[in-house]
């Protein structure tokens, strides 16, 4: 006679109870402790990404070390270029402004220009005479007294009101720019031309825009 024990009989568990039992099993803290942390998974992913990058650039002379050196040089180059361009841009913008420091009257600028010309310092004479011209337009309310105006802007705005002198105003602004921040030497002829232009601007009657 064969004797059967209950443990020998296969146990058939329904699907839903089995799923519930598995879920309960997985909530065991032991499973959670065995899983990698978020930081570990992120570090692993970055490592794989960097490894693929090195493999892609393996043709660079020097291998991975060569790649790192190239990347470092590129970073340094970008930083230097940004710093250099920023400084040059700021300096250039500041240099293009007609006025620097305390703004004086047109007559004060004219006297400073004449004194500089008498000393043979025609670069200073050109700068001060053009400033006298622009300041005179501001005093006549043909230009608003705003800071930061460039020579080209002043010539364009004044030329719209004084169309007969527009071309000469543009040439005067170019002379100012060339001497003031372009590094070109001032000349007696340039100064005399600006002096004559200043006198003509003072005599010229404005034309209403759109008239």
């Amino acid at each position: 006679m064969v004797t059967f024990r209950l443990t020998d009989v296969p146990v058939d568990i329904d699907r839903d109870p089995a799923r519930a039992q598995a879920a309960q099993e997985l909530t065991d803290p032991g499973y959670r402790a065995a899983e990698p942390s978020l930081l570990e998974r992120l570090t692993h992913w970055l490592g794989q990404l960097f490894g693929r990058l090195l493999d892609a650039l393996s043709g660079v002379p020097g291998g991975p070390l060569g790649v790192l050196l190239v990347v470092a040089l590129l970073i340094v180059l970008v930083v230097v270029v940004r710093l250099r361009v920023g400084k040059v841009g700021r300096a250039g913008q500041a240099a293009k402004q007609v006025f620097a420091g305390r703004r004086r009257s047109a007559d004060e600028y004219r006297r400073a220009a004449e004194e500089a010309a008498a000393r043979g310092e025609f670069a200073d004479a050109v700068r001060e005479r053009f400033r006298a011209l622009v300041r005179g337009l501001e005093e006549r309310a043909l230009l608003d007294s705003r800071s930061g105006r460039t020579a080209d802007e002043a010539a364009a705005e004044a030329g719209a009101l004084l169309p007969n002198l527009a071309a000469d105003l543009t040439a005067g602004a170019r002379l100012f720019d060339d001497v003031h921040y372009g590094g070109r030497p001032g000349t007696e002829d340039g100064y005399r031309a600006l002096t004559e232009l200043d006198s003509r601007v003072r005599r010229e009657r404005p034309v209403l825009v759109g008239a």
Side-chain angles (χ1 to χ4, degrees):
M1 179 177 181
V2 180
T3 303
F4 292 94
R5 293 176 298 177
L6 292 178
T7 55
D8 295 333
V9 180
V11 179
D12 186 10
I13 303 177
D14 292 339
R15 181 178 302 174
D16 291 340
R19 184 182 298 111
Q21 184 176 354
Q24 183 178 2
E25 182 70 16
L26 291 176
T27 58
D28 189 334
Y31 285 99
R32 295 182 181 178
E35 292 181 354
S37 65
L38 177 61
L39 179 60
E40 291 173 340
R41 291 197 299 269
L42 179 60
T43 303
H44 179 69
W45 177 79
L46 290 176
Q48 290 181 327
L49 183 64
F50 187 68
R52 287 195 294 268
L53 177 62
L54 291 181
D55 291 339
L57 299 176
S58 59
V60 177
L65 180 59
V67 173
L68 293 177
L69 290 176
V70 170
V71 172
L73 289 176
L74 287 176
I75 293 175
V76 172
L77 180 62
V78 169
V79 172
V80 170
V81 169
R82 285 182 62 87
L83 290 175
R84 182 61 179 171
V85 171
K87 291 179 180 179
V88 171
R90 289 190 296 271
Q93 183 62 31
K96 292 180 181 179
Q97 297 177 6
V98 175
F99 299 104
R102 184 183 67 86
R103 188 170 302 194
R104 295 173 285 173
S105 68
D107 286 338
E108 287 177 314
Y109 284 119
R110 291 186 183 104
R111 284 197 297 271
E114 292 169 358
E115 292 171 359
R119 297 192 301 268
E121 299 172 354
F122 290 107
D124 289 339
V126 165
R127 279 190 285 265
E128 299 303 320
R129 178 59 68 168
F130 187 81
R131 287 170 176 157
L133 186 156
V134 175
R135 185 62 178 141
L137 290 169
E138 292 178 348
E139 291 175 351
R140 293 171 61 189
L142 297 181
L143 295 179
D144 60 307
S145 301
R146 64 180 175 86
S147 60
R149 177 185 279 115
T150 66
D152 289 337
E153 291 171 343
E157 294 173 19
L161 298 173
L162 308 173
N164 293 333
L165 302 178
D168 293 329
L169 287 167
T170 299
R174 186 175 298 111
L175 176 60
F176 173 84
D177 286 342
D178 288 344
V179 171
H180 187 47
Y181 74 93
R184 294 188 181 182
T187 64
E188 183 175 1
D189 290 342
Y191 169 69
R192 298 301 175 193
L194 272 182
T195 301
E196 175 62 23
L197 178 60
D198 183 26
S199 298
R200 292 168 60 196
V201 167
R202 296 167 68 183
R203 297 191 302 265
E204 189 75 8
R205 294 174 63 86
V207 175
L208 294 179
V209 178

